[in-house]
Amino acid sequence: TLFVDSSQLDDDQDDVALMNSFSAAPLVHVTRRRFRDGKIHTRVGDIIIVINPYTYVENRAYPNGIDYPIVGGALDKSLRSRFSRDQQPHVYSIAEAALTELFGPANAKSGTRDQSCMVSGESGAGKTEACKRIMKYLAAVVDIERHSADGGATPRTARHSRSIDDLSMEDKILKCNPFLEAFGNAKTTRNDNSSRFGKFVKIQYSGSGAIIGSRIEQYLLEKARLAHQGPNERCFHIFYFMLAGMGASEKKSLMLKDVSEYPMLNFGRCTTIDTIDEPQEWAEVQESLNVAGIDASNRKDMWKMLAGILQLSEINWEDKHSTTGDAEATVTNKDISQCATHNLGLASLPTLQG
């Protein structure tokens, strides 16, 4: 049982660390009350607690939407101050605090020390969306600084579409998200777009505040999801995106069939998701890979590998005894195995002995 001192709860406190009584009880009470009032962010010192609303937020606490003042990727420079330490908490506040410590206050780039932002939480807590918003804010701030330095040139997000060579470094970093999520995310019982891997993103800045490079490392990919998923869960998104979005001629060349034909995609009996437009996601994955420098030839090899994995899941094995008395397993549906070996670039599948 959690006991709350009501004398500490009279005001709408947005920073639990400033309360006289700091313990689990007032923390839970304040975050619950703020959430019921439509405020999904609560501050605990330098930490921002975000309660996932599982819907886009636009209410009296966020009258212009949860992403405002970043609209279409553009940020009004005069509005950066609303995310300073003494203002209402927001996930953008984390990014603003990191930039302030990295360069000093806005327009006073004195330079201090490297910064890191950690996003953690259980499955379905909203880590993926929080990471994307932090990166979006970092990119938007760099863009308005460039906009000012160029004497008022049109910000990148207000320009018409440009070639890949013309994309800024921050554009390229943001555009990597679709293929990272396609290959590493999946539907779980808690979340339609759950990251099944850990991610470390390193963004490098010049002394003038421009993003000059980035490195993304992944670890702890949930490989077991390829072999089995629980009820109402799915394998990794990329397989469903590919089968829903790929053209008929390309699917024919890879000898692909309907999603219902592949056992590894049907363990959870959930091959579609109402909240995901899979053909559109497939198009975004293609663009994302192109921006990342993965050309059409390499993409084709990737699709052949994915097709081969799907076909491996169809293969049936039969136990037999060899002339030496050892048990061995042989493939019974050789037509399927030939499709798999062709796409994977193998001469044949090995015979398993034991």
Side-chain angles (χ1 to χ4, degrees):
T1 302
L2 296 176
F3 296 96
V4 182
D5 180 358
S6 60
S7 65
Q8 304 297 323
L9 305 175
D10 294 336
D11 299 325
D12 181 19
Q13 180 62 263
D14 56 31
D15 189 345
V16 180
L18 299 179
M19 299 174 63
N20 292 333
S21 175
F22 182 73
S23 62
L27 174 64
V28 171
H29 181 87
V30 169
T31 52
R32 180 190 292 123
R33 186 177 63 185
R34 287 177 59 81
F35 182 75
R36 288 175 177 171
D37 289 340
K39 301 173 183 177
I40 65 173
H41 302 95
T42 302
R43 190 186 297 277
V44 185
D46 292 329
I47 299 170
I48 300 293
I49 297 175
V50 187
I51 300 180
N52 190 350
Y54 289 96
T55 186
Y56 186 79
V57 176
E58 186 171 346
N59 53 34
R60 62 182 181 179
Y62 311 97
N64 297 299
I66 195 69
D67 289 321
Y68 185 79
I70 299 180
V71 180
L75 171 65
D76 186 335
K77 185 175 182 179
S78 66
L79 298 177
R80 278 187 66 183
S81 61
R82 69 169 55 199
F83 301 114
S84 61
R85 179 67 179 79
D86 57 346
Q87 299 298 312
Q88 280 284 337
H90 194 286
V91 71
Y92 293 157
S93 305
I94 296 293
E96 179 61 33
L99 288 172
T100 299
E101 289 295 319
L102 187 63
F103 296 116
N107 299 321
K109 296 182 173 62
S110 57
T112 50
R113 56 184 178 175
D114 293 346
Q115 298 296 303
S116 63
C117 303
M118 177 178 288
V119 180
S120 65
E122 64 179 19
S123 178
K127 299 182 296 297
T128 298
E129 292 301 315
C131 284
K132 287 194 289 189
R133 281 168 169 79
I134 288 174
M135 293 176 67
K136 183 188 294 184
Y137 187 88
L138 295 175
V141 168
V142 167
D143 195 48
I144 60 172
E145 294 296 336
R146 184 191 302 113
H147 172 61
S148 299
D150 291 344
T154 306
R156 65 181 173 86
T157 47
R159 299 171 192 154
H160 295 294
S161 60
R162 298 167 291 163
S163 68
I164 294 173
D165 293 337
D166 291 333
L167 290 174
S168 64
M169 181 59 67
E170 58 268 21
D171 278 315
K172 293 179 180 179
I173 294 171
L174 292 176
K175 285 183 176 292
C176 285
N177 273 323
F179 80 78
L180 288 174
E181 291 187 15
F183 281 88
N185 290 21
K187 181 189 184 313
T188 66
T189 53
R190 292 188 176 190
N191 189 353
D192 287 348
N193 188 36
S194 178
S195 295
R196 312 314 300 163
F197 68 108
K199 179 169 62 176
F200 177 79
V201 182
K202 183 176 182 179
I203 300 176
Q204 298 165 313
Y205 287 84
S206 69
S208 62
I211 294 178
I212 58 175
S214 177
R215 179 175 180 177
I216 301 175
E217 298 181 14
Q218 64 82 22
Y219 50 94
L220 297 177
L221 179 67
E222 187 188 29
K223 298 176 183 177
R225 185 163 289 270
L226 288 170
H228 185 75
Q229 309 95 45
N232 204 34
E233 295 196 353
R234 301 205 314 179
C235 193
F236 296 107
H237 289 324
I238 188 63
F239 295 105
Y240 305 92
F241 293 174
M242 180 175 70
L243 293 174
M246 183 176 280
S249 60
E250 193 172 5
K251 287 173 69 175
K252 183 177 180 180
S253 70
L254 296 174
M255 295 162 283
L256 289 171
K257 300 178 292 187
D258 186 76
V259 64
S260 61
E261 300 285 338
Y262 299 105
M264 65 177 283
L265 302 183
N266 287 273
F267 287 113
R269 301 183 181 276
C270 178
T271 57
T272 60
I273 303 175
D274 293 339
T275 58
I276 296 179
D277 183 345
E278 289 170 340
Q280 176 61 33
E281 294 288 346
W282 172 250
E284 291 184 9
V285 167
Q286 297 275 28
E287 179 187 4
S288 178
L289 289 169
N290 196 32
V291 168
I294 301 175
D295 61 24
S297 176
N298 284 320
R299 293 201 299 271
K300 183 177 181 180
D301 289 340
M302 291 169 64
W303 311 146
K304 289 179 70 174
M305 185 177 298
L306 293 178
I309 292 172
L310 287 174
Q311 287 147 356
L312 284 177
S313 76
E314 293 185 274
I315 291 177
N316 296 320
W317 300 85
E318 182 180 45
D319 291 334
K320 287 186 176 181
H321 289 281
S322 66
T323 55
T324 62
D326 294 329
E328 64 179 32
T330 58
V331 176
T332 59
N333 49 348
K334 294 187 180 297
D335 56 331
I336 299 296
S337 70
Q338 289 171 356
C339 293
T341 54
H342 171 77
N343 282 322
L344 294 174
L346 302 174
S348 62
L349 290 178
T351 298
L352 303 181
Q353 294 185 336

